[in-house]
Amino acid sequence: MNEDLKRNIFYSDIIIDMITTNKVIAILLGGSRLLNLESPESDYDIIVLAKDDSLSHLQKTPLNIEGYNAHILIPSLQNIMTLIKNPKKLNGFE
């Protein structure tokens, strides 16, 4: 991911709005691009780790960045901890 794209994601209106809620723990790249399995047509999965479920209404919101197909996935810390505690319940890579 180039620096210009990182800047456009981080300074997008929706990411700034989420950060100002003080509910964001981390912002990460996920999906095929994280695993170096992307193709030229792959989208960008932007993972926003949240303190709780209060941002879940923004799940799968597209990021409007010219020339890129990107959307937001928002797991809560509680959901991540549940998956870590119960790994046999995982149905796929999340």
Side-chain angles (χ1 to χ4, degrees):
M1 179 183 305
N2 66 48
E3 292 301 314
D4 197 38
L5 177 56
K6 287 180 191 177
R7 202 171 10 267
N8 284 331
I9 290 169
F10 190 72
Y11 290 107
S12 65
D13 291 340
I14 190 163
I15 296 291
I16 289 172
D17 289 346
M18 284 193 283
I19 290 171
T20 60
T21 67
N22 291 319
K23 299 289 185 171
V24 174
I25 297 170
I27 300 171
L28 312 155
L29 178 65
S32 62
R33 292 186 184 274
L34 171 67
L35 301 172
N36 291 319
L37 298 173
E38 74 271 13
S39 71
E41 296 80 31
S42 293
D43 64 350
Y44 286 83
D45 300 304
I46 308 305
I47 312 298
V48 177
L49 180 58
K51 291 180 181 177
D52 56 33
D53 289 326
S54 63
L55 300 174
S56 64
H57 64 285
L58 298 169
Q59 187 74 275
K60 297 188 180 180
T61 299
L63 286 172
N64 296 319
I65 300 171
E66 188 174 333
Y68 295 96
N69 180 14
H71 61 274
I72 299 170
L73 301 171
I74 310 172
S76 70
L77 184 57
Q78 182 60 44
N79 290 344
I80 297 297
M81 295 305 294
T82 299
L83 290 174
I84 291 170
K85 290 177 185 176
N86 302 292
K88 292 182 180 182
K89 292 185 178 181
L90 286 173
N91 293 325
F93 180 77
E94 295 191 28

